[in-house]
Amino acid sequence: MAKVTQASAERAIKAAYAISFLQGIIAISLVPRVPELVTQLHLDFAGWGALIGAVSLSSLLPLVLANKLIMKFGTRPIMSFGGILFAGSLAFIPWCNSAWEFAIVAMAQTIAGATFNIALQSATVMLQKKLKKTVIGNVHASWSIGATISAALSGALVAAGVSFKLHFGVAALVAALGMFIASRMLLGPSEDGHLSEQKHVEKISWLKTPWYVWLLTAGFVVGAWCESMMTDWSALFSKQVLGIDSGHAAIAYAAFSGSMILGRLSIGPLTRKRHISNLAMIGSLVGFIGIAGGVLLGPVLIEQNLGLGMIVVCFFWICAGIGSAAMVPSFFSAAGHVKGMATAQVLARMSFASVFIFMALKSAIGV
């Protein structure tokens, strides 16, 4: 295994930030275009929900194969090919005129994205172990920054009347080129750490997966749940429960997402004094207080005084964002320390199981 220099490691860290940022840009760019796409595909919103639910199941395939690909080729080739396909497939979405056409494109993007993401998280965790330095928080923050910018920019382009095809064509070209350039800066197969993990990997079947992996999966789901529910339901909660308009709802959500970004950017400096698992433990309590306070006190105070109520809601949403910031990075980091299993192997099994858990939980919340 080739020796990793400080310069190559720092270059790889910056590349991981850039790739995660571009991933966030691509992942959220479709959101403001959904009404337009639904009309173009001749679907109603019930049909759209069923379609994207079916497409999401395609993410299960790479979660089974990702570890074998990474163990054979390393993380960089997988991220390079998967990232370009993930970004490039965006350009084909506006050309889809039927549900079947969209399903094919979306499944290709989902499969590429899931494989690429396992490789990215694995590369980040293995890099942390080499450098004894926590960088996964910044990688996740980069995704959140990209997603936030994408939501704002895509919404502005829709409002300005920029065509669907031009918007996604340019975005796909820029992102794919960025993915290619950034992936060249990552650690190569002889440097990323997967070869050293190979020596200690045992053949562990899914049925004999250590209980610790499923415990990590449960922690990951709980950690991601806050962010997922805020993304899915905050707008509806703001309108139907808090009784505020879209403008005020956007301010409240911005308070949450902005604080989560700041929280994740702070993980690196804070881990110099506290382990990331301790940050997650403390953060879970802060996040609980934030969500509970916003849900229980928000409607009461806003009904009495909109200004005061908004200040209180934003305060609690900030607590929720800061509190949940370290949780997912903490469980992903722990995936690199399961005896007898490779980092990619653990992450793939965690992700595979979480897909079914999230589907069940989201359905239950919807009901």
Side-chain angles (χ1 to χ4, degrees), residues 44-254:
D44 55 20
F45 281 103
W48 170 252
L51 177 60
I52 59 174
V55 166
S56 67
L57 292 177
S58 62
S59 66
L60 297 176
L61 176 62
L63 297 180
V64 176
L65 301 176
N67 174 61
K68 294 180 180 179
L69 292 173
I70 291 171
M71 285 293 101
K72 184 173 183 179
F73 300 107
T75 54
R76 187 168 72 183
I78 304 302
M79 289 170 66
S80 179
F81 179 77
I84 292 171
L85 180 58
F86 176 67
S89 58
L90 189 72
F92 295 92
I93 291 177
W95 298 89
C96 297
N97 294 306
S98 70
W100 287 108
E101 290 174 350
F102 174 78
I104 293 172
V105 174
M107 286 176 65
Q109 186 180 49
T110 300
I111 290 172
T115 309
F116 151 81
N117 191 55
I118 292 295
L120 172 61
Q121 303 302 331
S122 300
T124 302
V125 173
M126 288 190 288
L127 187 61
Q128 284 189 159
K129 290 167 66 177
K130 281 179 173 292
L131 298 178
K132 295 180 174 56
K133 174 182 176 181
T134 303
V135 297
I136 195 169
N138 287 0
V139 171
H140 285 220
S142 298
W143 189 96
S144 299
I145 293 170
T148 302
I149 291 175
S150 180
L153 182 59
S154 296
L157 292 175
V158 172
V162 176
S163 75
F164 196 178
K165 293 175 181 177
L166 178 62
H167 173 194
F168 275 29
V170 173
L173 178 62
V174 173
L177 182 60
M179 289 283 192
F180 175 76
I181 294 173
S183 66
R184 297 297 89 198
M185 299 165 60
L186 295 167
L187 296 181
S190 63
E191 303 170 310
D192 63 7
H194 86 279
L195 293 177
S196 62
E197 285 193 340
Q198 268 184 346
K199 299 176 183 177
H200 305 287
V201 171
E202 302 172 8
K203 290 186 177 181
I204 299 176
S205 68
W206 281 75
L207 293 177
K208 294 183 179 180
T209 300
W211 66 270
Y212 182 59
V213 174
W214 303 132
L215 187 61
L216 289 178
T217 303
F220 161 66
V221 169
V222 173
W225 190 244
C226 175
E227 186 175 5
S228 176
M229 288 300 95
M230 287 293 287
T231 301
D232 292 344
W233 295 101
S234 64
L236 190 62
F237 176 80
S238 297
K239 182 179 180 180
Q240 295 192 1
V241 181
L242 297 180
I244 58 179
D245 57 37
S246 299
H248 286 93
I251 294 173
Y253 181 74

Side-chain angles (χ1 to χ4, degrees), residues 26-52:
I26 295 300
I28 303 299
S29 57
L30 182 61
V31 173
R33 294 284 187 178
V34 167
E36 183 179 353
L37 180 60
V38 169
T39 300
Q40 185 171 305
L41 298 178
H42 310 292
L43 296 172
D44 55 20
F45 281 103
W48 170 252
L51 177 60
I52 59 174

